[in-house]
Amino acid sequence: MRIRFTKMQGAGNDFVVLDETRQRLNLTPQQYRRLADRHFGVGADQVLSVRPSPEAGVDFEYVIHNADGGEVEQCGNGARCFARYVADKGLARSERIRVKTLSGVIEPRLNRDGRVTVDMGPPVFELQSIPFDASGLSPHKDGGWQTWRLALDVDAEETLVSVAVVSMGNPHAVQVVADVDRAPVRTQGPLIEHHLRFPNRVNAGFMQVVDRGRIRLRVWERGAGETLACGTGACAAVVAGIRLGRLDAKVDVETHGGVLTIEWAGGNAPVLMTGPAVTVFEGEIELQD
């Protein structure tokens, strides 16, 4: 099977985008893994599929597969690239669109400065909906909210880490660190991702608060490992920082791949994420059945 693709990136988080508006490709998990493979495929953190509207009131369906081939609920940086793609290809009729994802409907819009803003919807804190198994644990009060202590086996020794738990359509565990450059992302990240308290696995965020309007962030993404940026991870970190009393309502998030701006007014207000979305190249690839 020979298919066309577009390679895109948002703050260094890179994607293979597939147009399935006319015909479903019906790729297998193995084929998604091949597309994302940086040695034998195109190379990407996620593969994004653009599909026709599945229901009234939305413009498109947005389907996300991680580099491991598994389908996931949401990807914020990918949502910006999705909006840029359908605009550049003439598939969208307006600068603001409604897009169906596995976790609900989001609303990206193109800005005059070339960046894309995505209404990611309100954050979810109800533990069963994240999901997070808190049985036998007690929350620890922190700045008007709470964190949870997870036991990790690091180098045969038990380590306790305090995480704030939130969903942005996908689960996140955010911990505050003194220096994100020295944070144990590659050792603790996979342990948190696969922790039994998270039955669907989880994205592990490591947040350094620079001031009330700026943080530095690294994220170990579920099914992808550490990426240059994670849009939902940035949203989750800012929401956690606001609820912990450390951040204001508008925050610039510095990642290895660039800067994202996150806004949240609190409560049931939606989280707004603004950042770049860039086409890198287009091409064709032969995939074995």
Side-chain angles (χ1 to χ4, degrees), residues 14-274:
D14 62 338
F15 310 99
V16 170
V17 185
L18 305 176
D19 184 351
E20 295 188 81
T21 57
R22 296 178 180 84
Q23 182 179 0
R24 188 70 63 87
L25 295 173
N26 296 316
L27 300 184
T28 65
Q30 180 181 357
Q31 288 172 323
Y32 285 116
R33 289 196 297 271
R34 173 56 67 93
L35 280 171
D37 193 294
R38 298 188 185 279
H39 299 287
F40 297 102
V42 182
D45 295 320
Q46 282 90 18
V47 179
L48 314 179
S49 298
V50 182
R51 295 179 181 173
S53 170
E55 60 192 49
V58 298
D59 300 298
F60 300 96
E61 183 180 15
Y62 166 36
V63 180
I64 309 135
H65 286 83
N66 273 343
D68 64 1
E71 185 176 357
V72 292
E73 308 92 335
Q74 187 58 276
C75 175
N77 287 327
R80 297 198 314 279
C81 289
F82 186 103
R84 170 60 61 196
Y85 179 90
V86 297
D88 290 351
K89 295 296 184 180
L91 300 174
R93 297 181 180 179
S94 68
E95 293 182 347
R96 182 189 292 268
I97 57 176
R98 287 174 55 82
V99 180
K100 176 73 176 295
T101 73
L102 199 60
S103 64
V105 176
I106 58 173
E107 296 187 21
R109 72 171 186 267
L110 302 181
N111 299 327
R112 292 182 179 179
D113 64 2
R115 298 194 300 169
V116 180
T117 296
V118 183
D119 178 339
M120 298 293 293
V124 174
F125 303 109
E126 202 273 322
L127 297 183
Q128 290 183 344
S129 298
I130 291 173
F132 174 66
D133 178 12
S135 58
L137 297 180
S138 297
H140 294 261
K141 292 185 178 180
D142 189 338
W145 195 30
Q146 61 192 22
T147 58
W148 301 87
R149 290 183 180 172
L150 299 180
L152 306 178
D153 291 326
V154 180
D155 296 329
E157 295 184 4
E158 185 176 86
T159 299
L160 290 176
V161 297
S162 293
V163 297
V165 179
V166 59
S167 172
M168 285 305 312
N170 55 358
H172 290 268
V174 181
Q175 59 176 299
V176 179
V177 298
D179 184 352
V180 76
D181 291 328
R182 297 185 178 184
V185 177
R186 295 188 179 276
T187 54
Q188 289 187 9
L191 297 178
I192 296 172
E193 176 193 356
H194 294 280
H195 201 284
L196 294 178
R197 295 285 180 179
F198 298 96
N200 294 341
R201 297 187 294 165
V202 71
N203 301 287
F206 299 77
M207 171 176 65
Q208 175 188 345
V209 178
V210 179
D211 56 45
R212 295 192 63 84
R214 186 163 61 104
I215 66 171
R216 302 178 66 214
L217 180 70
R218 293 170 64 186
V219 179
W220 180 273
E221 290 198 48
R222 178 184 57 170
E226 185 177 9
T227 56
L228 292 178
C230 175
T232 57
C235 294
V238 170
V239 166
I242 291 172
R243 291 211 64 183
L244 293 171
R246 291 168 168 81
L247 298 174
D248 292 333
K250 184 176 182 179
V251 178
D252 285 335
V253 180
E254 297 179 2
T255 72
H256 285 323
V259 177
L260 303 173
T261 301
I262 310 298
E263 301 174 69
W264 183 52
N268 290 323
V271 179
L272 302 179
M273 174 187 58
T274 301

